[in-house]
Amino acid sequence: MSSRLRIWASLLFVLGLAAIARGDAMERMKPERLRATHERIEALKNQRRAVALTSGYDDVRTLFHVHSAFSHDSRGTIDEIVAAAKEAGVRVVMFNEHPAPHYDFVTDGHRGLKDGVLLMPGAESGGFLAYPRTSIKDQKTDSPQAFADLVRSTGGQIFLCHLEERMDWDIAGLTGSEIYNTHADFKSEPKFLAAMRSPLTLLMLMGAVKQYPQEVFGALLDYPADYLARYDQLTQKTRLTGVSANDAHHNQAYKATVLEDGKVQLEDGLGEKVALLDPEKIGPLKLLTNGRKAGDVILDLDLDPYVRSFRHVSTHLLMPTVDEENVWQAIDAGRAYVAFDWLADPTGFVYQAQAGDKTWPIGSELKAEEGLRLRAEAPLEGRFKLIRDGEVVADERGASLDFAVDKPGVYRVEVWLEIAGEDRPWILTNPIYVRGA
Ligand SMILES: [Zn+2]
């Protein structure tokens, strides 16, 4: 941190902190919590161990719900997105653009292998993540069910998205559902959002983001209890592949520039002017503009560059080789788990059913049989929870879990890590569906 920034951080800390309500995210953004979080994450890197169980598949970090400049609320270029994917160890990017008349998201959308990253086009439309196989441009539908049917009629896949806005939807024939959405998580922090409207908070954040960018982003992470409760209800009735939604736009940025008349122009990540501030009326701002001339940038805060969003969470698809067809197949089979990769790399994690010398991977549907066990193992020790039909039936610490199945049900696993004095969710698997004989 520069000395100027340090002075500002400490001054603004005193001035501003009293005014900031203490939501969880704000609490986690305190300097000592950020440092402890960072140190724990670094320590975990050295604690990784080999996983004895094997799935037999390649573990492929995949992103759902990514926006680029095709969407009205993003300026992201494909080069920027592919570079970020590579940096974050992501091999498949599923786009979900906001449709608009000037382009066809299927035929014009990003598709194919670019610099080692497989790109697949899709839309965020009508409450769904939609991946039709062929163009559906200009085809009108009059209900969510009709839209889902249209996408399915092309051989494509369709997921519920932004579940928080449609907890009561009951649509037939879906591929899956989001079980975590970064933007929804962000929206669930009203105290943080309110604090963000203060230039003082933005300035404080600038110092924290410079030092601990991923930890500040991750401070927003909360266990998606509402999403998972609904998902558990829905999977009682039908198979649904659970995926994470990065909802990445790269549009949460702020830049403050000194104008000719001494006032300060605040712009957001899309270059929209969001506020005109008068240093004569805001004491701390006056100190910051002292000695600055027109054109000087006094605040430059980028909260959601793609790489940070991509590192935060992903869906790990288990597949034999990486190509479009295998992505569709892994999704259909539910061979997927969601991970908050920023905490630790979960690659190699296994969850499977086992009886005698037979094994079934995540997402499998099988009949209950004598000696059937559910086993999970992670490359780190953590807290393993086994959830059957929405109820926790096992909760233990260690690097693995071994459960004798005593009755049919929809079984999924969660693994939590203890980070800076708090259990944080790390892995959320798709279910294994054990049916009655
Ligand atoms: Zn979106």
Side-chain angles (χ1 to χ4, degrees), residues 174-342:
L174 295 177
T175 310
S177 172
E178 292 182 351
I179 57 171
Y180 175 82
N181 179 304
T182 306
H183 186 222
D185 203 1
F186 187 68
K187 282 193 294 187
S188 71
E189 296 282 352
K191 291 167 184 167
F192 175 72
L193 293 175
M196 288 272 291
R197 285 195 280 275
S198 150
L200 297 184
T201 313
L202 295 179
L203 282 161
M204 272 194 298
L205 266 179
M206 193 162 73
V209 166
K210 268 207 162 66
Q211 200 169 6
Y212 300 116
Q214 199 67 50
E215 289 81 0
V216 169
F217 193 98
L220 294 162
L221 167 62
D222 287 310
Y223 176 69
D226 53 345
Y227 272 51
L228 287 167
R230 181 61 182 151
Y231 180 67
D232 286 336
Q233 284 176 354
L234 293 171
T235 53
Q236 294 293 297
K237 294 191 287 186
T238 184
R239 290 176 54 94
L240 283 179
T241 298
V243 300
S244 56
N246 293 75
D247 213 348
H249 296 78
H250 190 197
N251 63 3
Q252 297 297 311
Y254 297 90
K255 193 169 173 179
T257 313
V258 181
L259 302 179
E260 289 290 346
D261 62 3
K263 291 206 175 84
V264 172
Q265 182 71 63
L266 190 64
E267 280 178 24
D268 69 11
L270 299 174
E272 304 284 340
K273 295 174 169 56
V274 290
L276 188 62
L277 307 169
D278 187 350
E280 296 304 326
K281 292 180 184 150
I282 306 171
L285 197 58
K286 174 90 180 146
L287 290 169
L288 205 63
T289 53
N290 266 348
R292 297 305 192 96
K293 58 183 190 310
D296 282 356
V297 173
I298 57 167
L299 169 79
D300 196 353
L301 178 63
D302 191 350
L303 290 172
D304 70 335
Y306 280 107
V307 70
R308 216 171 291 158
S309 161
F310 291 0
R311 280 189 175 129
H312 180 69
V313 68
S314 70
T315 304
H316 291 242
L317 294 183
L318 305 178
M319 54 178 126
T321 51
V322 182
D323 57 38
E324 269 200 22
E325 215 45 54
N326 277 292
V327 169
W328 299 130
Q329 283 177 21
I331 292 171
D332 269 335
R335 278 199 312 274
Y337 68 90
V338 166
F340 298 97
D341 305 286
W342 73 282

